[in-house]
Amino acid sequence: MAKFSDQFQAFCDIAIGLKNAQKADAILLLLERPTDFKQLEKAFAEEMVVVAGDTKAALEGSGESEFDTILLNMPDEAPVYERLTQALLEAVADEYFAEGASVVAVYSGFEAGVIDSLSLIKLDEHLGRLTVRDLRQLKTKIPVETIKLVVDLAVEIGREGREGKPVGSLFVVGDHRKTMSFCHPMGFDPVKGYNKAERQLNDAKVRDGVKEIAQMDGAFIVSADATIIASAQHLSAPNVPELSLPKGMGARHWAAAEITAATGAIAIAISESNGTVRVFQNGEVKLRIEPFRRAMKWKAFDTDSPS
């Protein structure tokens, strides 16, 4: 067990002071190594604290504490920003934090395993924003603008639902010819018979139409140029034994994982239970976006390579 250092204690005190001064709602502690949870409880007495750990070892002893905990299970090389974001997403999904909460995050920003940094984070701003750079990390030949267009549409569906009711849906983008070889219609296909111009997602009227029919069973198949090829499709990609998804994932998410493992497509799944949008590639979840009430903001970085 790592020593509960004077520096760690000082950062706990500073975090409490910042939380009170800014009227924040909670504190998030991101641990890379085991700690003394009894000392931690004394340091954060009476405070709302969620503890996230990189590994099971980092959370050893937390079961006897009063803290809510999150196991990240992320690659060792994952940047601290990504680990913080994942911890915040998990905390919102588990209802430890409200969507619009303000959180003081305490973490190791410079020296591995040493608590040396803290940030004040407003969740509706931090988690409601994706960057074009995030999508380029998918390393696909599908134009980033097409993926961005479908992700935006999926987030709107996840946030708005249909007549006040949550809606789950699935979009499969790119490699549409191979994808269609694993599809068969579930019945009436609302987009069948329309010409290509009338099936273009760049058209706001088409996107509105997709929102209307998103509550139907089956997946939307979208080409790389943002044309809807088919809707209401049942996916029957071959099962891939080595696929592994987090607990709680339903048939829609498994279908997204399987089709992206079998093709070069990107799948974008909307959870019916909470509207969360997940982006799949190569059988894995690559991005997760929470459907906050505010519209999502896209931000381009100066360091992005040209499209």
Side-chain angles (χ1 to χ4, degrees):
M1 182 180 295
K3 180 182 177 182
F4 199 91
S5 66
D6 292 340
Q7 178 174 320
F8 195 173
Q9 178 66 60
F11 268 89
C12 293
D13 294 338
I14 295 170
I16 294 170
L18 180 60
K19 172 181 175 290
N20 293 335
Q22 296 296 319
K23 298 181 180 179
D25 300 287
I27 295 171
L28 172 70
L29 177 61
L30 184 59
L31 295 179
E32 296 178 356
R33 297 178 180 176
T35 192
D36 186 334
F37 274 89
K38 290 184 178 179
Q39 284 291 106
L40 199 61
E41 282 189 308
K42 291 180 181 178
F44 285 122
E46 307 298 326
E47 297 294 337
M48 168 57 188
V49 178
V50 173
V51 180
D54 284 350
T55 62
K56 289 183 179 179
L59 296 175
E60 185 179 353
S62 62
E64 300 174 3
S65 72
E66 298 293 325
F67 299 120
D68 292 315
T69 59
I70 295 168
L71 178 60
L72 295 180
N73 278 329
M74 295 183 70
D76 293 339
E77 66 276 10
V80 66
Y81 174 86
E82 293 182 10
R83 287 164 34 235
L84 273 174
T85 298
Q86 185 63 28
L88 292 166
L89 285 168
E90 294 285 351
V92 171
D94 292 338
E95 299 184 350
Y96 299 150
F97 299 154
E99 290 180 359
S102 293
V103 176
V104 175
V106 186
Y107 53 95
S108 302
F110 295 93
E111 184 177 351
V114 178
I115 298 297
D116 55 20
S117 304
L118 56 82
S119 301
L120 177 65
I121 301 172
K122 297 181 179 179
L123 297 191
D124 57 350
E125 296 178 4
H126 180 78
L127 300 183
R129 181 175 63 243
L130 275 180
T131 69
V132 173
R133 184 172 63 181
D134 291 324
L135 294 185
R136 289 198 177 124
Q137 290 174 359
L138 295 174
K139 296 179 181 178
T140 174
K141 295 180 180 179
I142 305 167
V144 68
E145 288 303 315
T146 296
I147 302 174
K148 174 178 173 291
L149 189 67
V150 179
V151 167
D152 277 340
L153 178 58
V155 170
E156 289 178 21
I157 293 170
R159 185 175 64 241
E160 299 168 6
R162 173 66 178 142
E163 295 180 349
K165 297 180 180 179
V167 170
S169 195
L170 175 62
F171 295 84
V172 184
V173 185
D175 201 5
H176 68 275
R177 290 183 176 85
K178 188 172 183 180
T179 297
M180 287 300 296
S181 70
F182 295 118
C183 293
H184 64 263
M186 299 186 71
F188 173 65
D189 181 353
V191 305
K192 189 174 182 179
Y194 288 91
N195 64 44
K196 183 174 180 179
E198 294 171 315
R199 293 182 279 114
Q200 268 286 329
L201 284 176
N202 291 300
D203 187 333
K205 292 181 180 178
V206 175
R207 295 196 298 275
D208 287 340
V210 168
K211 291 180 185 179
E212 291 294 323
I213 61 176
Q215 58 192 321
M216 295 180 63
D217 290 334
F220 292 90
I221 312 302
V222 182
S223 67
D225 67 355
T227 301
I228 302 176
I229 303 301
S231 64
Q233 297 295 306
H234 175 76
L235 303 177
S236 55
N239 292 324
V240 184
E242 61 268 23
L243 286 182
S244 178
L245 295 180
K247 291 182 179 179
M249 295 286 184
R252 183 178 292 111
H253 297 97
W254 279 99
E258 289 171 353
I259 197 67
T260 58
T263 70
I266 300 290
I268 299 162
I270 308 164
S271 174
E272 186 173 356
S273 60
N274 55 17
T276 297
V277 174
R278 290 176 174 87
V279 181
F280 289 78
Q281 185 182 35
N282 299 327
E284 299 178 352
V285 179
K286 296 295 186 180
L287 290 171
R288 190 172 98 174
I289 308 108
E290 295 299 324
F292 294 110
R293 294 184 180 88
R294 302 176 54 165
M296 187 166 63
K297 303 173 186 175
W298 287 95
K299 181 180 178 183
F301 279 74
D302 292 338
T303 54
D304 284 342
S305 58
S307 300

